[in-house]
């Protein structure tokens, strides 16, 4: 039953040798609500703290044994006792001993005889103030730690008498010797960077005059000479008259943040590999240069530099070597770039140079030639000697454009032309190139629409078994039935489709449609064994080709053996391990794999041995010259022999005349395709041909009775997505081409006596196998 | 803090030179039903202590043990002050001061005076005790 309206709480330890005091003080405090323990000897205190940690200790001064001072001093040295408030109970006549009490670490004193009813209030007050003090101390430590972590210090500036006080943290940030601080604003201002003195002073003056807050970034120089970036934020305090009397400020060290910002800005404007300006910075510089040149009436030149076949370096030597080469290329280009010109890496193997104050085209040409020359020298990378060339396109201001976009695009277009002219070449932009480029652009737009509008069609070119004369299969070739331009061959749009990524949906459509078409032929009872489809490198690498093939084959109710995928060697080189895994899975399905255009890429024997493939398709270029050059004939024969030794089937592409066929026959090549037998044709034409061949084909047709167009005079036929030439004229004559093709096919078989198997073929009448 | 219990407030006690009533009242006010005989316990303890300490000091005086005299005088002073025994507390204080100055001059006289005072005080304390008990 407490007689107090206030609530008291806390643990109290009373140490007094007088039982009467212990009883009465204990009673008074317990009644008030405190938890009380009493002991009669100071020497017991330390032991008691192990089990009972009081919030306050009431300590008698005069005790036999350990007296109050000694007990208090010992308490202060102990871990739990250091912060416990001690209320010394002294006699009313012991005032002279108070000094000793405080020296021993007493918190407060109370004189005996004690006013019992007032004691709980006194005790509670000391406990509260002690807790408040502890919290304050903790907060101060936390604040100080936080400020130290954040690199924040604070100051107070009394404006009337120029007293400038620093916080502990500020002393640490500025590494200041306290002795040197004269406690005026002078000692603060002398740390400010000389170049920022005026800035800071005028900002402070403006804040005082305008009665506003101060917020400013500036530099300081430490006594050690180190330069720091700091942020200063300050507020004003006003006197009774509303005049500023005091400024309170914080200073934060933002050096690290500034550094990070600079790093981010560097990364935003510079290429990390070569440390050259990137596209963003190049565009900025070009924008500024255009403004200056317009005023000064000067000419500018933009050089667009693209390495020739850089992809081969990456593919064959790995990206690390590729990166080393890019660094070296950047170094060589930089060597020949004037200080006020800008060399940038736009990305990949594309570089640009901005030339200021161009006097003549000849000067630009000389600069470009110098770069080409430098880049051609051998590269020693990773203990390998490598070579590379570049193609350069040039656009001039104001001749070829007056905006960043147009100039860079024009130089790009010119570079593209330089590539087409055989690489390692310099080309200036012309209007003609522009129309070519814009044609490409409009084609790009058309291409997207074409997919939606289903303007693509497939043509099919038969493949012939030279031993039997039968068709061993057909190759599906994509065509674009352009509404305005007519039938377009892959050469005009495949590259664009690859650039825009449209090759993915296009490739998928080709695969599905080819499978469906084979299924339709089978439905009509036309027995074609196999259809081959070209797979673009991108499609092979990116798309889930396995799932796509499975779905295309099963949707068309075909056996996977009926499908052959043609892939170029370079498409496989990108990631050999991945390529091999994909090919193995495809083969596991039963799909045949052929290497397209063999002989134009690496033609690496070791690769051929490791790649799980079935067929090699020899590029047309070998056949074109083989019957004229003994060397080329030898190469052809070697390739065929090698393929045979590796158990690979061989298909010769681009057979255009009887001489080609004879040569292939001589080399024991089994399969061939080309205009000599049949050009690529729409499905219904092929259907007719198959039917006619089955039912009404005349084996012996007179060559002279055929149309006047000689097979050998035909331009190079197409056997893949990107290798098309123009179409033969006879396509346009309805009815004729079938007979034409049939006769030609037949004639080959009959007029070539040295080959007995082919003579046998005439008996089979070119029937499709 | 001032007790309002009129039973315990005989006007004659208040003016006694040997005892200051308000200290007794202060102790009485600490009493409650759970602890009704606090004053009696304190008075018994004091009377008992007085006997021991007084003869202890006489003995120490004979033996010249000044430090013991000082401690005992201090102890008795504390108890006397708590009960408001003004003259006894004053004598104890003098005795303690003497001992602190390493002297015993007049100590025997002081002790003799204290004994005399105690006789009077003891009666008053017994009165308070019995009144408290009856209350």
């Amino acid at each position: 039953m407490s007689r107090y309206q206030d609530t008291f709480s806390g643990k109290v330890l009373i140490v007094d040798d007088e039982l009467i005091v212990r009883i009465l003080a204990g009673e008074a405090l317990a009644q008030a609500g405190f938890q009380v323990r009493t002991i009669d000897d100071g020497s017991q205190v330390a032991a008691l703290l192990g089990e009972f940690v009081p919030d306050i200790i009431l300590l008698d001064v005069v005790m036999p044994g350990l007296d109050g001072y000694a007990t208090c001093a010992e308490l202060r040295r102990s871990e739990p006792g250091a912060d416990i408030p001690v209320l010394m109970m002294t006699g009313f006549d012991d005032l002279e001993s108070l000094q000793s009490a405080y020296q021993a670490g007493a918190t407060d004193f109370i004189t005996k005889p004690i006013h019992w009813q007032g004691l709980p209030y006194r005790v509670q007050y000391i406990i509260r103030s002690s807790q408040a003090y502890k919290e304050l101390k903790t907060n101060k430590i936390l604040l100080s730690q936080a400020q130290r972590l954040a690199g924040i210090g604070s100051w107070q500036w009394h404006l009337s008498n120029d007293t400038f006080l620093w916080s502990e943290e500020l002393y640490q940030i500025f590494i200041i010797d306290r002795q040197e601080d004269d406690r005026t604003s002078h000692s603060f201002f002398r740390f400010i960077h000389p170049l920022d003195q005026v800035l800071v002073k005028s900002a402070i003056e403006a804040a005082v005059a305008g009665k506003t807050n101060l917020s400013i970034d500036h530099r300081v120089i430490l006594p050690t000479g180190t330069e720091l970036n700091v942020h200063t934020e300050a507020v004003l305090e006003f006197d009774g008259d509303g005049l500023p009397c005091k400024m309170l400020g914080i200073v934060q060290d933002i050096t690290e943040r500034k550094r990070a910002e600079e790093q981010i800005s560097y990364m935003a404007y510079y290429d990390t590999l070569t440390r050259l300006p990137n596209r963003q910075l190049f565009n900025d510089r070009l924008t500024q240069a255009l403004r200056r040149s317009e005023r000064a009436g000067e000419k500018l030149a933009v050089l667009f530099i693209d390495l020739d076949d850089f992809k081969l370096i990456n593919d064959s030597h790995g990206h690390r070597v590729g990166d080393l080469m890019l660094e070296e290329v950047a170094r060589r280009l930089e060597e020949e770039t004037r200080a006020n010109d800008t060399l940038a890496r736009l990305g990949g193997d594309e570089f640009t140079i901005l030339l200021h104050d161009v006097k003549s085209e000849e000067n630009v040409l000389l600069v470009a030639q110098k770069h080409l020359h430098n880049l051609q020298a051998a590269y020693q990378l990773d203990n390998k000697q490598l070579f590379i060339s570049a193609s350069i396109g040039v656009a001039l201001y104001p001749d070829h454009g007056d905006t960043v976009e147009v100039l860079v695009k024009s130089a790009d277009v010119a570079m593209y032309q330089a590539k087409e002219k055989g690489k390692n070449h310099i080309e200036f932009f012309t209007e003609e190139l522009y129309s070519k480029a814009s044609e490409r652009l409009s084609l790009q737009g058309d291409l997207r629409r074409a997919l939606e509008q289903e303007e693509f069609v497939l043509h099919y070119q038969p493949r012939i078994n030279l031993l039997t004369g039968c068709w061993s299969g057909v190759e599906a070739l994509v065509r674009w039935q352009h509404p305005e331009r007519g039938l377009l061959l892959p050469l005009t749009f495949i590259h664009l489709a690859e650039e825009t990524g449209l090759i993915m949906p296009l490739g998928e459509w080709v695969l599905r449609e080819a499978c469906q078409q084979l299924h339709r032929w089978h439905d009509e009872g036309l027995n074609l064994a196999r259809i081959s489809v070209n797979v673009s490198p991108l499609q092979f690498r990116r798309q889930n080709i396995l799932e796509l093939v499975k779905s295309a084959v099963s949707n068309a109710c075909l056996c996977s053996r009926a499908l052959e995928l043609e892939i170029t060697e370079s498409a496989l080189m990108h990631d050999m391990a991945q390529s091999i895994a994909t090919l193995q899975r495809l083969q596991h399905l039963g799909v045949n794999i052929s290497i397209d255009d063999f002989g134009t890429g690496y033609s690496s024997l070791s690769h051929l041995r490791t790649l799980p493939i079935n067929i090699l398709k020899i590029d047309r270029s070998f056949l074109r010259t083989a019957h004229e050059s003994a060397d080329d004939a030898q190469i052809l024969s070697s390739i065929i022999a090698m393929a045979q030794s590796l158990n690979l089937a061989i298909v010769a592409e681009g057979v255009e005349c009887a001489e080609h066929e004879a040569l292939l026959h001589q080399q024991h090549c089994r399969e061939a395709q080309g205009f000599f037998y049949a050009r690529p044709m729409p499905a219904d034409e092929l259907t007719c041909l198959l039917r006619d061949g089955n039912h009404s084909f005349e084996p012996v047709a007179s060559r002279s009775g055929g149309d006047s167009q000689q097979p050998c005079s035909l331009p190079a036929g197409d056997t893949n997505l990107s290798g098309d030439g123009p179409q033969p004229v006879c396509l346009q004559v309805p009815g004729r081409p079938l007979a034409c093709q049939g006769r030609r096919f037949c004639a080959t078989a009959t007029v070539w006596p040295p080959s007995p198997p082919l003579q046998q073929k005439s008996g089979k009448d070119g029937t499709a196998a | 803090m001032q007790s309002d219990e009129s039973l315990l407030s005989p006007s004659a006690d208040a003016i006694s030179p040997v005892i200051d009533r308000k200290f007794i009242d202060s102790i009485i006010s600490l009493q409650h039903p759970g602890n009704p005989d606090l004053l009696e316990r304190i008075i018994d303890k004091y009377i008992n202590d007085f006997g021991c300490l007084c003869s202890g000091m006489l003995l120490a005086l004979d033996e010249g043990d000044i430090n013991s005299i000082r401690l005992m005088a201090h102890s008795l002073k504390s108890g006397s002050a708590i009960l408001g025994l003004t003259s006894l507390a004053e004598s104890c204080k003098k005795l303690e001061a003497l001992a602190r100055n390493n002297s015993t001059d007049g100590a025997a006289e002081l002790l003799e005076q204290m004994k005399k005072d105690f006789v009077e005080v003891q009666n008053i304390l017994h009165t308070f005790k019995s009144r408290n008990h009856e209350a």
Side-chain angles (χ1 to χ4, degrees):
Chain A
M1 54 167 276
S2 173
R3 71 192 65 217
Y4 300 96
Q5 292 190 341
D6 304 76
T7 46
F8 298 90
S9 68
K11 293 188 277 186
V12 185
L13 174 62
I14 299 167
V15 186
D16 200 317
D17 59 320
E18 308 277 346
L19 178 64
I20 293 177
V21 176
R22 296 203 300 275
I23 290 174
L24 289 174
E27 188 60 42
L29 293 171
Q31 277 185 26
F34 291 99
Q35 192 184 333
V36 182
R37 288 284 286 271
T38 58
I39 48 178
D40 61 0
D41 186 350
S43 60
Q44 296 169 21
V45 172
L48 183 71
L49 290 184
E51 51 160 300
F52 180 82
V53 180
D55 297 306
I56 186 170
I57 298 176
L58 272 58
L59 188 58
D60 184 28
V61 174
V62 183
M63 289 185 286
L66 205 58
D67 69 13
Y69 309 131
T71 304
C72 188
E74 189 178 278
L75 189 72
R76 288 297 179 237
R77 287 191 292 271
S78 75
E79 176 52 40
D83 290 328
I84 300 174
V86 171
L87 181 60
M88 280 284 196
M89 299 181 288
T90 64
F92 53 85
D93 54 349
D94 280 349
L95 289 179
E96 66 272 19
S97 64
L98 289 180
Q99 197 179 355
S100 311
Y102 283 117
Q103 275 172 356
T107 310
D108 202 355
F109 72 95
I110 187 167
T111 52
K112 289 178 175 175
I114 292 165
H115 186 311
W116 307 118
Q117 281 71 27
L119 184 62
Y121 292 97
R122 187 70 180 276
V123 164
Q124 186 72 51
Y125 171 79
I126 294 174
I127 289 177
R128 277 194 197 138
S129 65
S130 161
Q131 275 167 354
Y133 174 75
K134 249 187 261 176
E135 279 167 25
L136 193 68
K137 204 167 131 190
T138 311
N139 286 342
K140 204 178 162 191
I141 290 168
L142 286 176
L143 181 67
S144 163
Q145 280 171 345
Q147 289 194 350
R148 205 164 44 241
L149 280 174
I152 293 177
S154 59
W155 48 260
Q156 293 183 32
W157 185 15
H158 299 268
L159 299 174
S160 53
N161 58 6
D162 190 26
T163 307
F164 198 97
L165 304 175
W166 310 62
S167 78
E168 191 55 43
E169 290 76 21
L170 202 56
Y171 279 113
Q172 285 171 11
I173 291 172
F174 284 7
I175 322 178
I176 303 164
D177 183 355
R178 238 162 267 257
Q179 308 301 319
E180 289 178 34
D181 175 21
D182 65 0
R183 300 167 74 89
T184 70
S185 60
H186 170 73
S187 52
F188 175 70
F189 281 118
R190 77 195 150 103
F191 285 103
I192 293 171
H193 195 288
L195 295 177
D196 289 349
Q197 291 269 355
V198 175
L199 177 80
V200 175
K201 278 180 181 162
S202 57
I204 289 176
E205 278 164 18
V208 171
K211 297 183 181 178
T212 57
N213 295 344
L214 173 74
S215 179
I216 186 173
D217 285 358
H218 60 91
R219 289 162 294 173
V220 295
I221 305 254
L222 302 185
T224 54
T226 311
E227 184 178 312
L228 291 185
N229 282 292
V230 299
H231 174 72
T232 293
E233 190 91 36
V235 293
L236 283 169
E237 277 186 5
F238 301 94
D239 61 16
D241 301 327
L243 294 171
C245 61
K246 195 169 165 192
M247 197 170 226
L248 302 171
I250 59 131
V251 176
Q252 185 174 17
D253 180 358
I254 56 166
T255 311
E256 279 305 312
R257 200 176 79 198
K258 279 269 179 197
R259 206 168 288 159
E261 279 170 8
E262 278 163 17
Q263 181 71 21
I264 288 165
S265 129
Y266 179 85
M267 279 157 73
Y269 287 102
Y270 287 87
D271 170 45
T272 45
L273 178 67
T274 62
R275 300 186 177 276
L276 292 180
N278 64 9
R279 183 188 297 272
Q280 180 72 42
L281 184 54
F282 182 81
N283 287 353
D284 282 0
R285 298 252 174 100
L286 184 51
T287 307
Q288 287 166 13
L290 284 171
R291 265 188 227 132
R292 277 199 304 273
S293 300
E294 193 182 4
R295 283 195 299 270
E298 287 172 359
K299 274 188 174 228
L300 293 173
V302 173
L303 271 56
F304 200 108
I305 303 163
D306 189 286
L307 301 181
D308 296 329
D309 300 317
F310 176 68
K311 201 172 153 315
L312 292 183
I313 301 281
N314 261 344
D315 287 349
S316 50
H317 299 285
H319 286 280
R320 203 178 65 79
V321 171
D323 283 353
L324 288 174
M325 176 166 267
L326 288 172
E327 286 177 79
E328 175 62 12
V329 164
R331 202 191 58 72
R332 291 186 189 184
L333 290 173
E334 208 164 16
E335 223 170 50
E336 280 302 319
T337 304
R338 291 181 301 181
N340 59 334
D341 291 338
T342 297
L343 165 66
R345 179 181 177 219
L346 298 197
D349 58 337
E350 292 178 343
F351 295 86
T352 46
I353 301 177
L354 165 62
L355 302 179
H356 290 92
D357 196 16
V358 168
K359 298 300 178 204
S360 70
E361 287 196 16
E362 286 70 31
N363 284 350
V364 178
L365 187 63
L366 282 174
V367 171
Q369 276 170 345
K370 185 83 183 158
H371 282 306
L372 276 200
H373 178 78
N374 283 352
L375 294 179
Q376 275 170 23
Y379 292 77
Q380 287 294 340
L381 306 171
D382 208 23
N383 294 326
K384 290 183 191 107
Q385 192 174 47
L386 300 172
F387 291 90
I388 201 147
S389 62
S391 299
I392 303 184
V394 182
L396 300 170
Y397 165 84
D399 313 49
H400 303 142
D402 56 5
T403 66
V404 170
E405 292 72 27
V406 171
L407 280 170
V408 173
K409 189 72 208 165
S410 300
D412 188 12
V413 165
M415 184 279 296
Y416 200 79
Q417 181 66 16
K419 292 253 187 222
E420 289 202 338
K421 286 201 173 170
K423 301 170 182 173
N424 195 16
H425 207 79
I426 300 161
E427 195 71 26
F428 278 71
F429 181 77
T430 63
E431 283 307 315
E432 189 195 337
L433 288 181
Y434 175 72
S435 54
K436 244 189 185 176
S438 51
E439 188 185 338
R440 263 163 52 85
L441 268 180
S442 81
L443 209 57
Q444 205 168 311
D446 290 355
L447 201 57
R448 291 177 194 283
R449 190 207 57 221
L451 261 173
E452 292 159 17
Q453 309 278 327
E454 298 179 354
E455 290 172 8
F456 292 102
V457 292
L458 289 186
H459 283 193
Y460 302 88
Q461 186 176 37
R463 186 188 291 174
I464 312 300
N465 183 324
L466 292 178
L467 291 179
T468 63
C470 301
W471 293 14
S472 54
V474 292
E475 180 180 358
L477 297 156
V478 69
R479 299 289 185 265
W480 181 3
Q481 190 63 56
H482 196 282
E484 288 145 31
R485 299 168 180 224
L487 195 70
L488 299 179
L489 297 176
L491 181 66
T492 52
F493 62 86
I494 284 298
H495 185 61
L496 267 179
E498 277 172 344
E499 276 179 1
T500 52
L502 288 169
I503 193 72
M504 301 305 236
L506 179 58
E508 180 173 347
W509 177 82
V510 169
L511 181 64
R512 291 185 187 281
E513 175 58 22
C515 289
Q516 290 293 342
Q517 183 56 51
L518 187 62
H519 174 67
R520 287 194 282 271
W521 280 323
H522 287 175
D523 271 359
E524 290 185 45
L526 300 173
N527 195 14
L528 254 182
R530 189 184 289 170
I531 195 155
S532 65
V533 177
N534 293 282
V535 177
S536 90
L538 208 60
Q539 196 174 20
F540 181 73
R541 283 204 298 270
R542 297 247 186 96
Q543 221 166 30
N544 191 349
I545 186 85
L546 203 71
E547 294 308 312
L548 178 60
V549 165
K550 271 189 204 166
S551 138
V553 167
S554 67
N555 284 351
C557 307
L558 290 181
C559 165
S560 345
R561 301 208 170 278
L563 181 64
E564 176 181 320
L565 296 180
E566 298 194 7
I567 303 162
T568 59
E569 206 183 352
S570 57
L572 303 175
M573 295 303 154
H574 187 75
D575 179 350
M576 279 297 278
Q578 183 60 45
S579 295
I580 289 172
T582 308
L583 291 179
Q584 275 171 343
R585 286 193 202 106
L586 286 167
Q587 275 194 334
H588 190 70
L589 284 182
V591 173
N592 287 284
I593 308 292
S594 65
I595 297 295
D596 208 1
D597 300 346
F598 186 76
T600 58
Y602 301 96
S603 312
S604 155
L605 184 61
S606 64
H607 285 158
L608 276 188
R609 283 157 57 94
T610 47
L611 286 169
I613 54 173
N614 311 93
I615 303 156
L616 272 194
K617 292 191 82 177
I618 303 175
D619 189 67
R620 68 186 64 245
S621 59
F622 288 94
L623 206 53
R624 207 177 292 159
T625 50
H627 70 283
E628 290 159 0
S629 144
D631 284 350
D632 288 355
Q634 188 57 46
I635 293 174
L636 183 65
S637 122
S638 305
I639 293 175
I640 293 172
M642 178 193 74
Q644 279 166 348
S645 75
L646 291 172
N647 265 336
L648 298 174
I650 288 275
V651 179
E653 294 181 282
V655 180
E656 294 173 1
C657 56
E659 286 89 340
H660 289 166
E661 188 184 70
L663 188 66
L664 292 172
H665 192 69
Q666 216 174 353
Q667 305 285 356
H668 306 294
C669 174
R670 299 285 176 81
E671 285 184 287
Q673 69 185 67
F675 281 10
F676 184 57
Y677 309 108
R679 55 175 175 71
M681 63 193 89
D684 49 354
E685 258 180 60
L686 195 99
T687 309
C688 292
L689 193 62
L690 282 170
R691 282 207 190 107
D692 290 357
N694 276 338
H695 309 294
S696 61
F697 183 68
E698 289 176 26
V700 184
S702 123
R703 262 187 157 176
S704 55
D707 63 75
S708 59
Q709 200 165 9
Q710 289 302 307
C712 281
S713 69
L714 287 172
D718 61 352
T719 50
N720 65 30
L721 283 169
S722 56
D724 267 306
Q727 290 290 292
V729 182
C730 62
L731 244 182
Q732 313 298 330
V733 188
R736 291 282 298 259
L738 294 176
C740 153
Q741 291 296 332
R743 258 181 234 123
R744 200 169 283 139
F745 186 75
C746 199
T748 316
T750 49
V751 298
W752 196 31
S755 164
L758 283 177
Q759 279 184 336
Q760 284 168 14
K761 181 179 79 179
S762 65
K764 296 192 177 176
D765 301 338
T767 311
Chain B
M1 60 170 188
Q2 198 74 15
S3 174
D4 54 2
E5 292 169 56
S6 54
L7 269 176
L8 298 175
S9 308
S11 56
D13 299 335
I15 51 161
S16 164
V18 289
I19 186 159
D20 184 346
R21 261 299 307 267
K22 68 175 185 287
F23 287 91
I24 299 287
D25 290 343
S26 174
I27 293 169
I28 289 169
S29 72
L30 285 177
Q31 298 187 136
H32 56 87
N35 191 5
D37 57 351
L38 182 65
L39 180 66
E40 289 160 70
R41 279 166 52 215
I42 296 297
I43 289 172
D44 285 347
K45 170 70 181 156
Y46 177 77
I47 290 170
N48 186 42
D49 280 356
F50 186 90
C52 293
L53 289 170
C54 209
S55 44
M57 281 189 281
L58 285 169
L59 195 64
L61 191 61
D62 282 350
E63 291 173 355
D65 181 359
I66 297 178
N67 192 44
S68 290
I69 294 175
R70 183 178 64 81
L71 283 171
M72 286 187 274
H74 177 83
S75 180
L76 194 56
K77 178 186 77 178
S78 173
S80 305
I82 285 170
L83 285 166
L85 308 176
T86 323
S87 55
L88 272 173
E90 191 59 32
S91 301
C92 287
K93 184 182 167 185
K94 282 177 185 163
L95 200 55
E96 190 186 0
L98 270 180
R100 196 172 289 145
N101 290 328
N102 213 19
S103 161
T104 52
D105 292 349
E109 291 75 12
L110 277 171
L111 279 170
E112 205 50 42
Q113 179 62 42
M114 283 163 66
K115 275 188 188 171
K116 276 184 192 158
D117 287 345
F118 183 70
V119 175
E120 189 186 343
V121 162
Q122 199 173 15
N123 285 330
I124 299 171
L125 290 178
H126 278 303
T127 314
F128 277 116
K129 252 183 79 177
S130 49
R131 282 190 196 164
N132 190 54
H133 190 69
E134 289 154 16

